[in-house]
Amino acid sequence: SCAQTIDQPLWFAIAVLCVAAVAELGSGVCLSTAIMSCATQGLDRSVSSCRSAAMGIGNAITVLLVAASVSHAMATSIRLEAEARNVSPSSVEALAVAVRDNVPISKIGPELDLSPTLVQELRQVRRGVMVHGFQVHGWVSGTVLTVAAVGFWVVRRDARPAA
């Protein structure tokens, strides 16, 4: 998704998300199996509970991190685009909030007293802003998964049997 462009079709974005979801699920299964295989006999229920809680907390933190990153990237992108078109500072902030809250620019444009031509330009720009958000999603998600993989490797490297 980091390579997504505005010209690529929607099916490409959906395919990328599907592949990423399969990879994430697969890594979760491997991690879960590895954790459970380290459980001491008789403590498997406690380990399972801790594993489930840790996965839930990790998922919540990841969703928060990704959502905040994407929201910030999209707001920054629309701010820059609006400022480049000499939109007033108060309108720039309102546009950033509209993008964050998924309010159509055609709806908020008249409220901000933007010309129809500018509204049309900003509607086109918004597609690029959304692609930028999708790219940030890819980078943040990839970084989170990489950090998790490295952390897992560091923790497990001493537990492997000697060859």
Side-chain angles (χ1 to χ4, degrees):
S1 65
C2 300
Q4 178 75 26
T5 65
I6 199 164
D7 299 325
Q8 290 173 326
L10 182 60
W11 66 262
F12 179 77
I14 293 170
V16 167
L17 288 175
C18 288
V19 168
V22 167
E24 185 179 348
L25 181 63
S27 64
V29 169
C30 293
L31 183 60
S32 182
T33 301
I35 289 170
M36 291 309 296
S37 68
C38 293
T40 307
Q41 193 73 11
L43 293 177
D44 49 348
R45 287 185 179 169
S46 298
V47 170
S48 178
S49 295
C50 289
R51 178 204 62 196
S52 296
M55 289 177 79
I57 291 169
N59 286 337
I61 291 171
T62 301
V63 167
L64 179 65
L65 179 65
V66 169
S69 300
V70 169
S71 178
H72 176 73
M74 289 175 65
T76 301
S77 188
I78 195 69
R79 276 188 192 100
L80 293 173
E81 293 290 344
E83 287 169 357
R85 289 166 175 74
N86 297 320
V87 175
S88 70
S90 61
S91 295
V92 168
E93 284 307 309
L95 284 169
V97 170
V99 166
R100 183 196 67 207
D101 295 342
N102 203 26
V103 176
I105 291 181
S106 57
K107 181 178 179 181
I108 197 169
E111 295 173 19
L112 300 176
D113 199 28
L114 302 176
S115 70
T117 306
L118 184 57
V119 169
Q120 187 61 28
E121 281 182 41
L122 291 172
R123 285 180 69 203
Q124 293 301 319
V125 164
R126 185 174 179 155
R127 291 180 64 209
V129 167
M130 289 182 179
V131 168
H132 184 141
F134 192 66
Q135 291 168 340
V136 168
H137 175 272
W139 282 109
V140 171
S141 297
T143 301
V144 166
L145 288 174
T146 301
V147 167
V150 168
F152 179 69
W153 178 77
V154 167
V155 169
R156 290 288 296 162
R157 70 180 172 172
D158 293 334
R160 283 187 248 148

